[in-house]
Amino acid sequence: EKDTLKELSEARKGTWNNTLEAQRNQREQAKAQRLDDDEEAKCVLDREEASIRATQRQAQIMRANKMLYDQTDRVKSFNSSLLLSDVLQERDLQIDLKRRVEETRER
């Protein structure tokens, strides 16, 4: 009979939240939950940083490949011809402007 009463008492006590044991269990559970939340947040942050690093690495690789491509003779020759074309076009515009200015001065 004593054992039965003790079991009933323990079962009833297990549902109480205001005992020292229950409060200690709640603190431990809260601490474990905080640690789990922190770990999850760190994992999310690590994944984001890894994604950013991968993007930066890809951009650096593309930049390096472009620099290598730009150093080829064919591209250098094309850029030189393009620059010459731009300079000649600008010079033609300057000559035309100078001619117009002289015409307006003569009037």
Side-chain angles (χ1 to χ4, degrees):
E1 186 176 309
K2 273 188 168 184
D3 292 337
T4 315
L5 289 175
K6 182 168 172 83
E7 288 175 10
L8 286 173
S9 177
E10 289 293 325
R12 193 175 300 139
K13 183 183 79 165
T15 61
W16 295 343
N17 293 328
N18 60 351
T19 63
L20 292 176
E21 186 177 345
Q23 290 174 353
R24 181 174 49 251
N25 287 337
Q26 288 175 347
R27 280 195 308 271
E28 289 173 0
Q29 288 175 353
K31 183 178 180 181
Q33 184 64 38
R34 275 194 316 273
L35 291 175
D36 288 345
D37 292 345
D38 289 346
E39 183 65 27
E40 181 62 30
K42 287 178 184 178
C43 287
V44 168
L45 184 62
D46 287 345
R47 285 192 294 269
E48 290 173 357
E49 288 177 354
S51 173
I52 290 170
R53 281 194 304 272
T55 304
Q56 289 174 343
R57 184 172 44 254
Q58 186 65 27
Q60 286 289 70
I61 290 170
M62 289 176 62
R63 182 174 171 265
N65 286 339
K66 184 181 181 322
M67 289 174 67
L68 288 173
Y69 178 73
D70 287 345
Q71 293 300 316
T72 61
D73 290 336
R74 186 173 171 196
V75 174
K76 284 182 180 180
S77 174
F78 174 73
N79 286 336
S80 175
S81 299
L82 189 62
L83 178 63
L84 179 62
S85 171
D86 289 344
V87 168
L88 292 176
Q89 184 180 8
E90 183 67 27
R91 181 65 186 139
D92 288 341
L93 291 172
Q94 289 173 351
I95 291 171
D96 187 43
L97 178 64
K98 183 177 179 182
R99 184 183 50 78
R100 287 184 193 169
V101 168
E102 289 175 358
E103 286 177 359
T104 56
R105 284 188 183 167
E106 290 175 1
R107 291 184 186 175

